[in-house]
Short mmCIF file of all heavy atoms in Angstrom, two decimals:
data_model
loop_
_atom_site.label_atom_id
_atom_site.label_comp_id
_atom_site.label_asym_id
_atom_site.label_seq_id
_atom_site.Cartn_x
_atom_site.Cartn_y
_atom_site.Cartn_z
N PHE S 83 -43.62 77.86 -59.19
CA PHE S 83 -43.35 76.43 -59.65
C PHE S 83 -41.86 76.36 -59.98
O PHE S 83 -41.40 77.02 -60.93
CB PHE S 83 -44.17 76.16 -60.94
CG PHE S 83 -44.15 74.68 -61.31
CD1 PHE S 83 -45.23 73.90 -61.10
CD2 PHE S 83 -43.02 74.10 -61.86
CE1 PHE S 83 -45.21 72.51 -61.44
CE2 PHE S 83 -42.97 72.72 -62.18
CZ PHE S 83 -44.11 71.97 -61.97
N ILE S 84 -41.13 75.63 -59.22
CA ILE S 84 -39.67 75.61 -59.33
C ILE S 84 -39.27 74.94 -60.63
O ILE S 84 -39.82 73.89 -61.08
CB ILE S 84 -39.07 74.82 -58.19
CG1 ILE S 84 -39.36 75.53 -56.85
CG2 ILE S 84 -37.59 74.53 -58.36
CD1 ILE S 84 -38.61 76.79 -56.58
N ARG S 89 -34.36 76.26 -58.89
CA ARG S 89 -34.29 75.18 -57.87
C ARG S 89 -33.21 75.50 -56.81
O ARG S 89 -33.51 75.49 -55.61
CB ARG S 89 -34.08 73.86 -58.58
CG ARG S 89 -34.23 72.67 -57.66
CD ARG S 89 -34.38 71.38 -58.51
NE ARG S 89 -35.55 71.40 -59.32
CZ ARG S 89 -35.63 71.15 -60.57
NH1 ARG S 89 -34.57 70.79 -61.23
NH2 ARG S 89 -36.82 71.21 -61.26
N PHE S 104 -52.43 75.59 -59.36
CA PHE S 104 -52.31 76.35 -60.62
C PHE S 104 -53.59 77.06 -60.95
O PHE S 104 -53.59 78.23 -61.40
CB PHE S 104 -51.95 75.35 -61.75
CG PHE S 104 -51.36 75.99 -63.02
CD1 PHE S 104 -50.94 75.17 -64.05
CD2 PHE S 104 -51.26 77.32 -63.14
CE1 PHE S 104 -50.40 75.71 -65.20
CE2 PHE S 104 -50.73 77.90 -64.33
CZ PHE S 104 -50.30 77.05 -65.39
N HIS S 188 -38.45 72.68 -75.00
CA HIS S 188 -38.31 71.59 -73.99
C HIS S 188 -38.18 70.35 -74.84
O HIS S 188 -39.13 69.96 -75.61
CB HIS S 188 -39.59 71.60 -73.11
CG HIS S 188 -39.54 70.62 -71.98
ND1 HIS S 188 -38.78 70.84 -70.86
CD2 HIS S 188 -40.15 69.40 -71.88
CE1 HIS S 188 -38.97 69.78 -70.07
NE2 HIS S 188 -39.75 68.90 -70.65
N GLU S 197 -40.32 53.33 -69.30
CA GLU S 197 -41.45 54.13 -69.78
C GLU S 197 -42.37 53.35 -70.69
O GLU S 197 -43.58 53.48 -70.68
CB GLU S 197 -40.93 55.38 -70.52
CG GLU S 197 -40.22 56.47 -69.63
CD GLU S 197 -38.84 56.07 -69.22
OE1 GLU S 197 -38.27 55.13 -69.84
OE2 GLU S 197 -38.32 56.67 -68.30
N GLN S 215 -55.95 64.29 -69.56
CA GLN S 215 -55.04 65.39 -69.13
C GLN S 215 -53.68 64.74 -68.98
O GLN S 215 -53.52 63.64 -68.42
CB GLN S 215 -55.43 65.97 -67.79
CG GLN S 215 -54.45 66.93 -67.24
CD GLN S 215 -53.55 66.38 -66.09
OE1 GLN S 215 -53.99 65.43 -65.42
NE2 GLN S 215 -52.41 66.92 -65.89
N LEU S 216 -52.69 65.41 -69.49
CA LEU S 216 -51.28 64.90 -69.38
C LEU S 216 -50.46 65.92 -68.56
O LEU S 216 -50.48 67.07 -68.87
CB LEU S 216 -50.65 64.82 -70.75
CG LEU S 216 -51.15 63.76 -71.76
CD1 LEU S 216 -51.43 62.43 -71.09
CD2 LEU S 216 -52.35 64.22 -72.55
N GLY S 217 -49.80 65.37 -67.58
CA GLY S 217 -49.00 66.25 -66.69
C GLY S 217 -47.59 66.47 -67.21
O GLY S 217 -47.26 66.13 -68.35
N ILE S 218 -46.74 66.97 -66.29
CA ILE S 218 -45.39 67.35 -66.67
C ILE S 218 -44.43 66.21 -66.34
O ILE S 218 -44.68 65.45 -65.43
CB ILE S 218 -45.02 68.68 -65.93
CG1 ILE S 218 -43.75 69.25 -66.51
CG2 ILE S 218 -44.92 68.48 -64.43
CD1 ILE S 218 -43.55 70.68 -66.01
N GLY S 219 -43.32 66.11 -67.07
CA GLY S 219 -42.37 65.06 -66.86
C GLY S 219 -42.37 64.06 -67.98
O GLY S 219 -43.20 64.08 -68.86
N ALA S 220 -41.37 63.14 -67.92
CA ALA S 220 -41.18 62.22 -69.04
C ALA S 220 -42.35 61.22 -69.20
O ALA S 220 -42.73 60.93 -70.27
CB ALA S 220 -39.85 61.44 -68.79
N ILE S 221 -42.89 60.75 -68.07
CA ILE S 221 -43.85 59.68 -68.16
C ILE S 221 -45.16 60.09 -68.80
O ILE S 221 -45.59 59.39 -69.77
CB ILE S 221 -44.12 59.08 -66.77
CG1 ILE S 221 -42.79 58.61 -66.15
CG2 ILE S 221 -45.18 57.98 -66.77
CD1 ILE S 221 -42.38 57.26 -66.06
N PRO S 222 -45.78 61.21 -68.41
CA PRO S 222 -47.06 61.52 -69.04
C PRO S 222 -46.91 61.67 -70.55
O PRO S 222 -47.79 61.23 -71.33
CB PRO S 222 -47.47 62.84 -68.38
CG PRO S 222 -46.83 62.85 -67.04
CD PRO S 222 -45.53 62.08 -67.30
N SER S 239 -56.48 69.56 -71.06
CA SER S 239 -55.23 69.33 -70.35
C SER S 239 -54.56 70.64 -70.10
O SER S 239 -54.43 71.50 -70.95
CB SER S 239 -54.27 68.50 -71.20
OG SER S 239 -53.18 68.11 -70.50
N GLU S 240 -54.10 70.79 -68.83
CA GLU S 240 -53.34 72.02 -68.48
C GLU S 240 -52.25 72.25 -69.47
O GLU S 240 -52.10 73.35 -69.99
CB GLU S 240 -52.78 71.76 -67.09
CG GLU S 240 -51.67 72.62 -66.70
CD GLU S 240 -51.12 72.14 -65.39
OE1 GLU S 240 -51.88 71.56 -64.58
OE2 GLU S 240 -49.91 72.32 -65.12
N MET S 241 -51.43 71.25 -69.76
CA MET S 241 -50.28 71.43 -70.68
C MET S 241 -50.28 70.34 -71.69
O MET S 241 -50.89 69.26 -71.53
CB MET S 241 -48.98 71.48 -69.91
CG MET S 241 -48.61 70.19 -69.28
SD MET S 241 -46.88 70.16 -68.77
CE MET S 241 -46.02 70.02 -70.27
N PHE S 271 -51.20 75.83 -71.29
CA PHE S 271 -49.83 76.21 -71.75
C PHE S 271 -49.17 75.03 -72.39
O PHE S 271 -49.62 73.88 -72.29
CB PHE S 271 -49.02 76.80 -70.59
CG PHE S 271 -48.30 75.85 -69.75
CD1 PHE S 271 -46.93 75.61 -69.86
CD2 PHE S 271 -48.94 75.10 -68.71
CE1 PHE S 271 -46.25 74.71 -69.05
CE2 PHE S 271 -48.31 74.25 -67.91
CZ PHE S 271 -46.95 74.02 -68.04
N ASN S 297 -58.19 74.55 -65.46
CA ASN S 297 -57.86 73.75 -64.29
C ASN S 297 -58.90 73.83 -63.19
O ASN S 297 -58.64 73.35 -62.11
CB ASN S 297 -56.49 74.20 -63.72
CG ASN S 297 -55.35 73.63 -64.53
OD1 ASN S 297 -55.45 73.46 -65.74
ND2 ASN S 297 -54.30 73.31 -63.85
N ILE S 311 -53.33 62.04 -65.98
CA ILE S 311 -52.11 61.23 -65.93
C ILE S 311 -50.99 62.15 -65.52
O ILE S 311 -50.58 63.05 -66.22
CB ILE S 311 -51.75 60.59 -67.32
CG1 ILE S 311 -53.02 59.74 -67.82
CG2 ILE S 311 -50.53 59.73 -67.26
CD1 ILE S 311 -52.91 59.29 -69.23
N ASN S 312 -50.52 61.92 -64.26
CA ASN S 312 -49.47 62.76 -63.73
C ASN S 312 -48.38 61.86 -63.08
O ASN S 312 -48.50 60.68 -63.03
CB ASN S 312 -50.04 63.71 -62.65
CG ASN S 312 -50.96 64.73 -63.26
OD1 ASN S 312 -50.55 65.59 -64.09
ND2 ASN S 312 -52.25 64.61 -63.01
N SER S 313 -47.28 62.50 -62.66
CA SER S 313 -46.17 61.73 -62.15
C SER S 313 -45.86 62.14 -60.70
O SER S 313 -46.48 63.04 -60.18
CB SER S 313 -44.96 61.93 -63.05
OG SER S 313 -44.01 60.96 -62.82
N ALA S 314 -44.89 61.44 -60.10
CA ALA S 314 -44.54 61.72 -58.73
C ALA S 314 -43.14 61.32 -58.42
O ALA S 314 -42.47 60.62 -59.19
CB ALA S 314 -45.52 60.97 -57.76
N LEU S 315 -42.67 61.77 -57.26
CA LEU S 315 -41.28 61.51 -56.84
C LEU S 315 -41.26 60.44 -55.77
O LEU S 315 -40.26 59.69 -55.69
CB LEU S 315 -40.62 62.78 -56.27
CG LEU S 315 -40.47 63.94 -57.27
CD1 LEU S 315 -40.16 65.25 -56.58
CD2 LEU S 315 -39.42 63.62 -58.31
N GLN S 316 -42.34 60.26 -55.02
CA GLN S 316 -42.37 59.33 -53.94
C GLN S 316 -43.81 59.06 -53.53
O GLN S 316 -44.63 59.99 -53.60
CB GLN S 316 -41.65 59.98 -52.72
CG GLN S 316 -40.89 59.03 -51.85
CD GLN S 316 -40.14 59.78 -50.74
OE1 GLN S 316 -40.58 60.83 -50.21
NE2 GLN S 316 -38.98 59.22 -50.37
N THR S 317 -44.08 57.84 -53.06
CA THR S 317 -45.41 57.51 -52.55
C THR S 317 -45.25 56.60 -51.38
O THR S 317 -44.49 55.64 -51.40
CB THR S 317 -46.28 56.77 -53.62
OG1 THR S 317 -46.51 57.68 -54.68
CG2 THR S 317 -47.60 56.32 -53.12
N CYS S 324 -46.07 62.32 -53.08
CA CYS S 324 -45.25 63.53 -53.07
C CYS S 324 -44.75 63.74 -54.55
O CYS S 324 -44.04 62.82 -55.06
CB CYS S 324 -44.06 63.39 -52.11
SG CYS S 324 -42.78 64.65 -52.51
N ALA S 325 -45.15 64.81 -55.16
CA ALA S 325 -44.77 65.03 -56.55
C ALA S 325 -43.93 66.27 -56.68
O ALA S 325 -43.62 66.69 -57.77
CB ALA S 325 -46.02 65.17 -57.41
N GLU S 326 -43.51 66.90 -55.58
CA GLU S 326 -42.92 68.23 -55.73
C GLU S 326 -41.68 68.52 -54.86
O GLU S 326 -41.04 69.56 -55.03
CB GLU S 326 -43.97 69.30 -55.47
CG GLU S 326 -44.70 69.11 -54.14
CD GLU S 326 -45.76 70.14 -53.92
OE1 GLU S 326 -45.44 71.36 -53.97
OE2 GLU S 326 -46.88 69.78 -53.67
N THR S 327 -41.40 67.63 -53.92
CA THR S 327 -40.20 67.90 -53.09
C THR S 327 -39.36 66.65 -52.98
O THR S 327 -39.88 65.56 -53.07
CB THR S 327 -40.55 68.34 -51.67
OG1 THR S 327 -41.25 67.27 -50.97
CG2 THR S 327 -41.41 69.59 -51.61
N ILE S 328 -38.07 66.84 -52.74
CA ILE S 328 -37.23 65.70 -52.36
C ILE S 328 -36.76 66.05 -50.97
O ILE S 328 -35.94 66.93 -50.73
CB ILE S 328 -36.04 65.52 -53.34
CG1 ILE S 328 -36.54 65.21 -54.77
CG2 ILE S 328 -35.06 64.41 -52.86
CD1 ILE S 328 -35.52 65.14 -55.85
N GLY S 329 -37.39 65.39 -49.96
CA GLY S 329 -37.28 65.83 -48.57
C GLY S 329 -37.80 67.29 -48.52
O GLY S 329 -38.81 67.62 -49.06
N TYR S 333 -38.61 70.66 -55.43
CA TYR S 333 -38.15 70.23 -56.77
C TYR S 333 -38.94 70.88 -57.84
O TYR S 333 -38.42 71.32 -58.87
CB TYR S 333 -38.13 68.71 -56.86
CG TYR S 333 -37.59 68.23 -58.15
CD1 TYR S 333 -36.21 68.07 -58.31
CD2 TYR S 333 -38.38 68.01 -59.27
CE1 TYR S 333 -35.66 67.70 -59.51
CE2 TYR S 333 -37.83 67.62 -60.50
CZ TYR S 333 -36.47 67.49 -60.60
OH TYR S 333 -35.92 67.10 -61.82
N SER S 334 -40.30 70.85 -57.70
CA SER S 334 -41.18 71.52 -58.71
C SER S 334 -42.32 72.17 -57.91
O SER S 334 -42.04 73.08 -57.08
CB SER S 334 -41.67 70.50 -59.74
OG SER S 334 -42.30 69.41 -59.14
N ALA S 335 -43.53 71.73 -58.09
CA ALA S 335 -44.66 72.33 -57.34
C ALA S 335 -45.90 71.43 -57.62
O ALA S 335 -45.85 70.52 -58.42
CB ALA S 335 -44.97 73.74 -57.73
N VAL S 336 -46.97 71.79 -56.94
CA VAL S 336 -48.24 71.04 -57.17
C VAL S 336 -48.75 71.22 -58.63
O VAL S 336 -49.33 70.33 -59.21
CB VAL S 336 -49.32 71.43 -56.16
CG1 VAL S 336 -49.69 72.95 -56.30
CG2 VAL S 336 -50.57 70.58 -56.28
N GLY S 337 -48.42 72.41 -59.22
CA GLY S 337 -48.95 72.66 -60.54
C GLY S 337 -50.45 72.37 -60.62
O GLY S 337 -51.22 72.76 -59.72
N GLY S 338 -50.86 71.62 -61.65
CA GLY S 338 -52.29 71.31 -61.77
C GLY S 338 -52.58 69.88 -61.30
O GLY S 338 -53.68 69.39 -61.60
N GLN S 339 -51.65 69.24 -60.62
CA GLN S 339 -51.91 67.86 -60.24
C GLN S 339 -53.20 67.68 -59.46
O GLN S 339 -54.08 66.89 -59.81
CB GLN S 339 -50.74 67.25 -59.50
CG GLN S 339 -50.97 65.79 -59.18
CD GLN S 339 -49.72 65.03 -58.74
OE1 GLN S 339 -49.73 64.42 -57.71
NE2 GLN S 339 -48.66 65.01 -59.56
N MET S 340 -53.36 68.46 -58.37
CA MET S 340 -54.59 68.32 -57.59
C MET S 340 -55.81 68.80 -58.29
O MET S 340 -56.91 68.27 -58.15
CB MET S 340 -54.42 69.09 -56.27
CG MET S 340 -53.76 68.27 -55.18
SD MET S 340 -54.48 66.61 -55.01
CE MET S 340 -56.13 67.02 -54.66
N PHE S 342 -56.53 68.43 -61.38
CA PHE S 342 -57.02 67.40 -62.22
C PHE S 342 -57.37 66.10 -61.45
O PHE S 342 -58.27 65.40 -61.88
CB PHE S 342 -56.03 67.13 -63.38
CG PHE S 342 -56.25 68.12 -64.50
CD1 PHE S 342 -55.56 69.37 -64.48
CD2 PHE S 342 -57.16 67.89 -65.48
CE1 PHE S 342 -55.77 70.28 -65.52
CE2 PHE S 342 -57.40 68.78 -66.47
CZ PHE S 342 -56.74 70.01 -66.52
N ILE S 356 -51.50 58.28 -61.23
CA ILE S 356 -50.15 58.82 -60.90
C ILE S 356 -49.20 57.73 -61.32
O ILE S 356 -49.27 56.59 -60.81
CB ILE S 356 -49.99 59.10 -59.42
CG1 ILE S 356 -51.10 60.04 -58.83
CG2 ILE S 356 -48.60 59.66 -59.09
CD1 ILE S 356 -50.97 61.49 -59.17
N ALA S 357 -48.29 57.98 -62.23
CA ALA S 357 -47.36 56.99 -62.73
C ALA S 357 -45.92 57.41 -62.65
O ALA S 357 -45.57 58.57 -62.80
CB ALA S 357 -47.69 56.77 -64.24
N PHE S 358 -45.07 56.49 -62.23
CA PHE S 358 -43.66 56.77 -62.12
C PHE S 358 -42.86 55.47 -62.18
O PHE S 358 -43.44 54.35 -61.91
CB PHE S 358 -43.34 57.47 -60.80
CG PHE S 358 -43.99 56.88 -59.57
CD1 PHE S 358 -43.38 55.82 -58.94
CD2 PHE S 358 -45.17 57.38 -59.12
CE1 PHE S 358 -43.95 55.28 -57.82
CE2 PHE S 358 -45.82 56.80 -57.99
CZ PHE S 358 -45.14 55.71 -57.33
N GLY S 359 -41.58 55.59 -62.56
CA GLY S 359 -40.72 54.42 -62.47
C GLY S 359 -40.52 53.99 -61.04
O GLY S 359 -40.43 54.85 -60.17
N THR S 361 -38.19 52.83 -59.35
CA THR S 361 -36.91 53.32 -58.68
C THR S 361 -36.37 54.53 -59.40
O THR S 361 -36.72 54.83 -60.55
CB THR S 361 -35.84 52.21 -58.73
OG1 THR S 361 -35.55 51.91 -60.09
CG2 THR S 361 -36.30 50.93 -57.99
N THR S 362 -35.33 55.14 -58.75
CA THR S 362 -34.60 56.19 -59.43
C THR S 362 -33.14 56.05 -59.03
O THR S 362 -32.79 55.13 -58.25
CB THR S 362 -35.15 57.61 -59.09
OG1 THR S 362 -34.53 58.57 -59.91
CG2 THR S 362 -34.95 57.97 -57.62
N LYS S 363 -32.27 56.88 -59.59
CA LYS S 363 -30.82 56.82 -59.33
C LYS S 363 -30.26 55.39 -59.61
O LYS S 363 -29.76 54.75 -58.71
CB LYS S 363 -30.48 57.28 -57.92
CG LYS S 363 -30.97 58.69 -57.58
CD LYS S 363 -30.19 59.77 -58.28
CE LYS S 363 -30.65 61.16 -57.90
NZ LYS S 363 -30.47 62.12 -59.00
N GLY S 364 -30.49 54.97 -60.83
CA GLY S 364 -29.97 53.69 -61.24
C GLY S 364 -30.46 52.51 -60.39
O GLY S 364 -29.71 51.54 -60.23
N ILE S 367 -32.80 53.76 -55.38
CA ILE S 367 -33.79 54.41 -54.49
C ILE S 367 -35.19 53.95 -54.96
O ILE S 367 -35.50 54.08 -56.16
CB ILE S 367 -33.70 55.96 -54.57
CG1 ILE S 367 -32.35 56.41 -54.01
CG2 ILE S 367 -34.82 56.59 -53.80
CD1 ILE S 367 -32.13 57.91 -54.06
N SER S 368 -35.95 53.42 -54.02
CA SER S 368 -37.34 53.06 -54.35
C SER S 368 -38.23 54.31 -54.22
O SER S 368 -38.09 55.08 -53.24
CB SER S 368 -37.84 52.02 -53.39
OG SER S 368 -39.20 51.73 -53.64
N LYS S 369 -39.15 54.48 -55.18
CA LYS S 369 -40.10 55.60 -55.09
C LYS S 369 -41.30 55.18 -54.21
O LYS S 369 -42.08 56.06 -53.83
CB LYS S 369 -40.51 56.06 -56.47
CG LYS S 369 -39.39 56.76 -57.20
CD LYS S 369 -39.92 57.41 -58.46
CE LYS S 369 -38.96 58.39 -59.02
NZ LYS S 369 -39.54 59.19 -60.13
N ILE S 370 -41.48 53.93 -53.96
CA ILE S 370 -42.51 53.44 -53.04
C ILE S 370 -41.80 53.18 -51.70
O ILE S 370 -40.85 52.40 -51.66
CB ILE S 370 -43.25 52.22 -53.59
CG1 ILE S 370 -43.95 52.60 -54.86
CG2 ILE S 370 -44.19 51.62 -52.53
CD1 ILE S 370 -44.73 51.48 -55.54
N VAL S 371 -42.23 53.89 -50.68
CA VAL S 371 -41.50 53.88 -49.41
C VAL S 371 -42.49 53.70 -48.23
O VAL S 371 -43.68 54.06 -48.36
CB VAL S 371 -40.69 55.24 -49.21
CG1 VAL S 371 -39.53 55.28 -50.16
CG2 VAL S 371 -41.62 56.43 -49.43
N THR S 375 -40.03 60.87 -47.11
CA THR S 375 -38.85 61.47 -46.49
C THR S 375 -39.25 62.66 -45.63
O THR S 375 -40.12 63.47 -45.98
CB THR S 375 -37.88 61.89 -47.62
OG1 THR S 375 -37.63 60.80 -48.44
CG2 THR S 375 -36.57 62.44 -47.09
N THR S 381 -48.54 66.02 -52.03
CA THR S 381 -49.15 66.73 -53.15
C THR S 381 -50.58 66.20 -53.36
O THR S 381 -51.53 66.94 -53.30
CB THR S 381 -48.31 66.52 -54.40
OG1 THR S 381 -46.94 66.84 -54.10
CG2 THR S 381 -48.81 67.35 -55.59
N THR S 382 -50.69 64.87 -53.59
CA THR S 382 -52.04 64.28 -53.71
C THR S 382 -52.22 63.47 -52.41
O THR S 382 -51.40 62.55 -52.10
CB THR S 382 -52.07 63.31 -54.93
OG1 THR S 382 -52.08 64.16 -56.10
CG2 THR S 382 -53.37 62.52 -54.95
N1 COA X 501 -35.50 60.53 -54.14
C1 COA X 501 -34.43 61.15 -54.58
N2 COA X 501 -34.31 61.68 -55.85
C2 COA X 501 -35.35 61.51 -56.65
C3 COA X 501 -36.54 60.81 -56.25
C4 COA X 501 -36.57 60.31 -54.94
N3 COA X 501 -37.65 59.67 -54.46
N4 COA X 501 -37.41 60.80 -57.30
C5 COA X 501 -36.85 61.42 -58.28
N5 COA X 501 -35.60 61.84 -57.91
C6 COA X 501 -34.65 62.61 -58.77
C7 COA X 501 -34.38 61.81 -60.04
O1 COA X 501 -33.33 60.90 -59.86
C8 COA X 501 -34.04 62.93 -61.01
O2 COA X 501 -32.71 63.39 -60.73
P1 COA X 501 -31.70 63.79 -61.92
O3 COA X 501 -32.35 65.01 -62.51
O4 COA X 501 -30.46 64.09 -61.16
O5 COA X 501 -31.68 62.65 -62.83
C9 COA X 501 -34.99 64.06 -60.58
O6 COA X 501 -35.29 63.80 -59.19
C10 COA X 501 -36.30 64.07 -61.38
O7 COA X 501 -36.93 62.84 -61.25
P2 COA X 501 -37.88 62.27 -62.40
O8 COA X 501 -38.57 61.12 -61.85
O9 COA X 501 -37.06 62.05 -63.65
O10 COA X 501 -38.84 63.45 -62.67
P3 COA X 501 -39.71 63.88 -63.97
O11 COA X 501 -38.97 64.82 -64.81
O12 COA X 501 -40.30 62.69 -64.59
O13 COA X 501 -40.84 64.73 -63.20
C11 COA X 501 -42.25 65.21 -61.32
C12 COA X 501 -41.62 64.14 -62.22
C13 COA X 501 -43.08 64.50 -60.31
C14 COA X 501 -41.19 66.07 -60.69
C15 COA X 501 -43.19 66.07 -62.22
O14 COA X 501 -44.13 65.27 -62.75
C16 COA X 501 -43.81 67.18 -61.37
O15 COA X 501 -43.27 68.22 -61.18
N6 COA X 501 -45.07 66.92 -60.90
C17 COA X 501 -45.81 67.88 -60.06
C18 COA X 501 -46.68 68.83 -60.89
C19 COA X 501 -47.75 68.11 -61.65
O16 COA X 501 -47.98 66.92 -61.58
N7 COA X 501 -48.43 68.89 -62.48
C20 COA X 501 -49.51 68.31 -63.26
C21 COA X 501 -49.84 69.07 -64.46
S1 COA X 501 -48.48 69.84 -65.28
#
Side-chain angles (χ1 to χ4, degrees):
F83 191 106
I84 296 288
R89 191 164 295 130
F104 198 176
H188 184 76
E197 290 77 16
Q215 174 257 335
L216 293 316
I218 192 166
I221 304 253
S239 186
E240 160 187 333
M241 67 166 287
F271 86 102
N297 280 35
I311 304 170
N312 292 294
S313 195
L315 297 166
Q316 213 175 36
T317 294
C324 165
E326 52 181 305
T327 64
I328 298 175
Y333 184 84
S334 55
V336 63
Q339 181 164 127
M340 274 312 300
F342 277 91
I356 306 282
F358 48 83
T361 62
T362 188
K363 303 289 180 209
I367 296 178
S368 176
K369 289 191 165 189
I370 296 180
V371 288
T375 304
T381 308
T382 292

